[in-house]
Amino acid sequence: MQIFGVDIGGSGIKGAPVDLDRGDLAEERHKVLTPHPATPDAVADAVKQVVDHFGWTGPVGLTFPGVVTGGATVRTAANVDRSWIDTDARALISGRLGGLPVTVVNDADAAGVAEVAFGAGRNRRGTVILLTFGTGIGSAVFTDGRLLPNTELGHLELDGHDAEKRASSKAKDDHDLSWQEWAVRVQRYLAHVEMLFSPELFVIGGGVSRKAHKFLPHIEGIKAEIVPAGLQNNAGIVGAAMHAAQDGASGGARS
Ligand code: BGC
């Protein structure tokens, strides 16, 4: 079965039809740049461009980089325009896509669900925490494979700062940090999350998961195992489609 997945990020909006049986993209993904300011209308137009690129007419699962309740309503918007807050993103995007069935889920939760089903968190019991390092830091917390939705561990306060302002990959770019310098910050952050949750496993997602060999060797003193996301930066797209399938938007899924 296929459902279309779209991952709305701070820098890019990317999507592809997802093969839900394999947990992988069915076609090469298409990406457009996130508009600035990333208002609801501008982002909805960009999502339409991505979906139209494939001529897709079935259900669509979307991620959003903020808290999302009920598969629809945006509650926070740290890295997109604040006018998203309290927007019914499902209604907005479905309307822009001519009424296609749409569901919306937090981006890190989506990536986590995909990793637990098909990637680095597969068959892992106990507490597993996926952290995505990108424009912000996203988190997905699992116990025995079950998600606690909408955790916001990127906004833990660390040494007097919002943690994602110190340790996201955007912070690496903004402060022109080397991989080693950035790894020191990531290590400090992981130690703090470990102190609070004692996970068995950290899965590192986001664009940096492709470059894990550049920074993971510099991270020391964390008791939990640390591995890069198996689906790398496609985990959000796959998880968005999985969420749509579970949420019942699958009425018109292609089989
Ligand atoms: C948001 C999270 C999101 C993360 C990654 C944070 O700023 O608050 O909801 O998962 O960025 O995009």
Side-chain angles (χ1 to χ4, degrees):
M1 187 171 79
Q2 288 185 17
I3 287 190
F4 201 89
V6 182
D7 195 13
I8 300 178
S11 61
I13 296 178
K14 35 195 196 292
V18 172
D19 180 332
L20 290 169
D21 303 313
R22 285 192 300 118
D24 203 356
L25 308 191
E27 289 178 51
E28 199 175 321
R29 70 186 197 189
H30 182 65
K31 175 175 171 177
V32 300
L33 292 180
T34 304
H36 288 289
T39 58
D41 266 338
V43 170
D45 284 342
V47 169
K48 182 170 165 49
Q49 267 183 51
V50 173
V51 174
D52 284 354
H53 177 83
F54 295 87
W56 183 262
T57 54
V60 176
L62 290 170
T63 73
F64 185 82
V67 171
V68 181
T69 53
T73 310
V74 170
R75 298 297 183 192
T76 69
N79 292 306
V80 286
D81 196 73
R82 288 187 60 78
S83 58
W84 273 101
I85 294 173
D86 293 334
T87 297
D88 183 339
R90 170 161 55 195
L92 171 75
I93 309 261
S94 174
R96 196 62 53 98
L97 298 178
L100 297 185
V102 165
T103 65
V104 190
V105 63
N106 171 264
D107 55 357
D109 284 353
V113 163
E115 283 296 318
V116 162
F118 297 108
R122 200 168 173 191
N123 296 328
R124 297 293 298 245
R125 312 287 298 168
T127 303
V128 171
I129 300 185
L130 171 124
L131 297 166
T132 62
F133 292 82
T135 309
I137 296 178
S139 60
V141 177
F142 294 83
T143 178
D144 292 342
R146 263 181 74 90
L147 172 71
L148 172 66
N150 282 319
T151 56
E152 285 286 319
L153 304 187
H155 298 295
L156 285 172
E157 186 183 315
L158 193 60
D159 302 328
H161 298 274
D162 189 20
E164 74 173 23
K165 296 275 184 299
R166 303 274 303 161
S168 64
S169 69
K170 180 169 184 293
K172 176 182 182 301
D173 295 343
D174 288 352
H175 303 291
D176 212 9
L177 304 176
S178 67
W179 287 104
Q180 191 159 0
E181 286 166 331
W182 183 63
V184 171
R185 293 185 177 200
V186 173
Q187 176 179 311
R188 170 85 186 96
Y189 174 64
L190 292 178
H192 190 63
V193 175
E194 177 159 75
M195 183 271 289
L196 293 170
F197 293 92
S198 300
E200 260 79 24
L201 174 69
F202 282 117
V203 180
I204 307 296
V208 293
S209 53
R210 266 179 284 125
K211 301 187 183 143
H213 59 283
K214 299 202 176 188
F215 65 96
L216 283 188
H218 298 299
I219 294 181
E220 291 166 0
I222 306 292
K223 291 182 202 68
E225 192 185 339
I226 310 173
V227 295
L231 305 174
Q232 296 186 340
N233 214 11
N234 289 334
I237 300 176
V238 173
M242 289 174 67
H243 182 260
Q246 285 153 14
D247 208 66
S250 52
R254 291 183 192 170
S255 56

